[in-house]
Amino acid sequence: MSDFKPTSYSLKNISTGRTFDDSGWVLDDPEGRYPSLIRAEYAKSRIDVGPEEEGIYRFCDWLPLRRTLAGSASPVTYRSEALAKELGLDNLYITFNGWFPERGARMTTCSFKETEAFSVCGRMGDDFGRVLVVASAGNTARAFAKVCSLNKIPLLLCVPEDNLDALWFDEPLDDCVKLIASCCGADYFDAIHLSNIAVTSSKFIAEGGAKNIARRDGMGTTMLSATHTIGRIPDYYFQAVGSGTGAIAAVEANIRLMNDARFGNKRMRLMLSQNAPFLPMFDAWRAGSRELLPLDDDHARRQVETISAKVLSNRRPPYSIAGGLFDCLKWSDGTIIDVCNEEAARAGELFEKLEGVDIHPASAVAVASLVKSCASIDKDAIIMLNITGGGEKRMKAGKELHYLKPAKIFGIDPSPREVLDFVETLF
């Protein structure tokens, strides 16, 4: 996209409605008195979708970009035949994020986290000047490592040691990507703790997670892909959630599409799922609580050890914050469904048998939630099933894989000085 011009947009405090300019790497309203997400308000209210060869940047009208980067791929949406027939559904559309060349899906990390990484790094200008810090349970780290390696962007990753097998790549990474880990038995929240220490140094800057508009709007391209393919806003949206950021992004895309006015005025119903027994958002939603229910950290770690979809293990998700998942579920009349490991495994096998491609455990949780729900859904409803990761077996087949090794593994509760003294020497 040699003729690309930075996207024109403003920022809006979801809680107060105040609008203001993006001065660079804004994650919160500087005048906000209460916790609230901010949202991008794009100058173009009607999106012009570009050709497929532009990758994720075919949706650049609704991405907060200062530049475009090499190597991106777009989510791909297609109408299911075999799985739809098995479940008795007339209009099941699958949005596939991963490696499925027969369907045009070419995300080499096999995860929709690529949509986040290409958008977030596109929000950074060439003169950014600081090291980006990303905490991850695995897939997000793999995506950011790929994007930053391809485009020579300095990156510090923080990942639990138990999840390091997720950091595989089909080619060696550039030395601009560094990794530290929290020790065996730690989880995603412990990796976040490491990242929070690192960003107290002026050399580093937090990617921002759900607060980063670029992360959410990158993930929202799954919704844009589905709606553009179908020609209207879907009735239902199925996805497994760890933080819920992808579902928040889907609602924000839904609102923009309603304002576009060419795709209907539908509030798509969120049909979200968590992997039992780790169910913090499911439990809070069932209790009608905006606040997450009390959860002992050690008990939560033990629950995380038992679930098959480790990426769904966020103990501090953006659930309660204004504009967060609670508000999105309310807005969409949505729900959260619990799925055990056995249900997810059966659903993953069913999907691979009928659709012809393997999927990640988190995607299998989403498929299982659809199986559990389809009897209560009108057979002719327009359903979007967001397969957030898949095709990994195909991607790895016959390839020599390269694994990113941690520069250092820290204990559960390292001292800030220990972390800072080490990470400042890495770049």
Side-chain angles (χ1 to χ4, degrees):
M1 300 180 64
S2 58
D3 58 347
F4 174 78
K5 295 179 181 179
T7 317
S8 177
Y9 63 94
S10 59
L11 299 176
K12 179 179 180 179
N13 182 317
I14 295 175
S15 175
T16 66
R18 187 180 93 88
T19 59
F20 54 101
D21 292 334
D22 185 0
S23 59
W25 200 249
V26 177
L27 301 176
D28 300 281
D29 179 358
E31 296 184 14
R33 297 179 59 189
Y34 305 103
S36 174
L37 295 179
I38 57 175
R39 183 179 296 160
E41 300 274 303
Y42 293 100
K44 290 190 68 171
S45 61
R46 293 171 67 117
I47 187 171
D48 292 319
V49 178
E52 292 182 5
E53 55 265 28
E54 292 181 354
I56 192 176
Y57 301 122
R58 65 194 302 235
F59 303 110
C60 66
D61 286 349
W62 289 355
L63 293 172
L65 302 173
R66 296 182 64 191
R67 59 178 173 173
T68 59
L69 301 169
S72 78
S74 173
V76 171
T77 300
Y78 67 93
R79 189 170 187 166
S80 169
E81 296 180 1
L83 181 61
K85 182 179 180 180
E86 175 75 15
L87 299 181
L89 301 171
D90 291 342
N91 295 296
L92 173 60
Y93 289 85
I94 294 170
T95 300
F96 194 89
N97 301 269
W99 187 255
F100 198 3
E102 298 93 318
R103 295 288 187 180
R106 297 182 177 277
M107 292 182 182
T108 58
T109 66
C110 302
S111 168
F112 85 144
K113 300 299 184 179
E114 278 194 34
T115 65
E116 302 175 14
F118 277 106
S119 181
V120 168
C121 293
R123 189 184 180 195
M124 302 162 61
D126 294 323
D127 57 349
F128 195 67
R130 294 167 78 179
V131 178
L132 190 66
V133 179
V134 173
S136 169
N139 288 345
T140 300
R142 189 164 71 249
F144 273 89
K146 168 193 167 175
V147 175
C148 290
S149 176
L150 281 174
N151 294 281
K152 305 294 189 292
I153 299 169
L155 172 69
L156 175 65
L157 295 172
C158 305
V159 177
E161 184 180 7
D162 292 338
N163 297 41
L164 292 181
D165 61 350
L167 298 185
W168 58 265
F169 302 91
D170 61 343
E171 58 185 19
L173 295 181
D174 188 87
D175 195 47
C176 65
V177 177
K178 307 290 186 182
L179 167 67
I180 58 174
S182 46
C183 65
C184 287
D187 67 3
Y188 177 43
F189 187 69
D190 298 304
I192 291 173
H193 178 61
L194 277 183
S195 71
N196 288 341
I197 295 173
V199 299
T200 61
S201 165
S202 60
K203 181 179 286 189
F204 300 94
I205 191 165
E207 179 269 331
K211 289 186 173 184
N212 193 323
I213 56 167
R215 172 178 279 216
R216 301 201 312 273
D217 291 355
M219 299 169 90
T221 60
T222 58
M223 176 64 175
L224 302 182
S225 167
T227 301
H228 183 256
T229 300
I230 299 166
R232 55 157 285 190
I233 297 168
D235 297 315
Y236 294 91
Y237 174 93
F238 281 82
Q239 187 196 315
V241 291
S243 70
T245 307
I248 298 168
V251 165
E252 293 179 327
N254 191 160
I255 292 168
R256 292 184 185 116
L257 289 163
M258 289 167 66
N259 291 334
D260 184 302
R262 292 174 293 173
F263 303 98
N265 197 40
K266 180 76 179 180
R267 291 193 183 195
M268 175 183 66
R269 189 177 187 203
L270 295 182
M271 304 292 286
L272 309 179
S273 47
Q274 290 208 280
N275 193 177
F278 184 76
L279 301 168
M281 292 186 286
F282 170 84
D283 289 338
W285 181 250
R286 184 174 57 179
S289 173
R290 171 181 280 275
E291 301 301 322
L292 294 172
L293 305 183
L295 181 63
D296 177 77
D297 285 346
D298 289 335
H299 181 61
R301 289 189 184 101
R302 289 192 295 272
Q303 288 181 334
V304 169
E305 287 176 2
T306 69
I307 63 175
S308 58
K310 301 295 186 189
V311 298
L312 305 181
S313 60
N314 192 332
R315 283 190 275 136
R316 302 290 187 272
Y319 176 83
S320 308
I321 190 171
L325 194 66
F326 180 85
D327 286 342
C328 289
L329 285 163
K330 284 285 189 182
W331 183 88
S332 70
D333 189 29
T335 193
I336 306 181
I337 302 153
D338 61 319
V339 172
C340 70
N341 288 345
E342 292 75 17
E343 290 170 325
R346 289 195 297 270
E349 291 169 1
L350 180 68
F351 189 96
E352 184 170 5
K353 174 185 174 183
L354 296 176
E355 295 296 330
V357 66
D358 59 288
I359 56 175
H360 286 169
S363 299
V365 169
V367 176
S369 72
L370 174 61
V371 172
K372 295 177 73 168
S373 304
C374 63
S376 61
I377 294 175
D378 291 340
K379 63 175 295 188
D380 60 350
I382 305 293
I383 299 169
M384 173 189 171
L385 172 61
N386 191 2
I387 296 298
T388 53
E392 187 168 326
K393 286 196 297 189
R394 287 168 168 242
M395 184 65 207
K396 289 179 174 179
K399 293 185 174 68
E400 177 187 358
L401 298 179
H402 304 267
Y403 287 84
L404 183 60
K405 302 298 183 184
K408 187 176 177 68
I409 298 173
F410 292 91
I412 287 283
D413 191 23
S415 72
R417 191 69 266 159
E418 177 190 7
V419 176
L420 287 172
D421 284 347
F422 183 78
V423 297
E424 287 186 334
T425 66
L426 288 176
F427 295 89

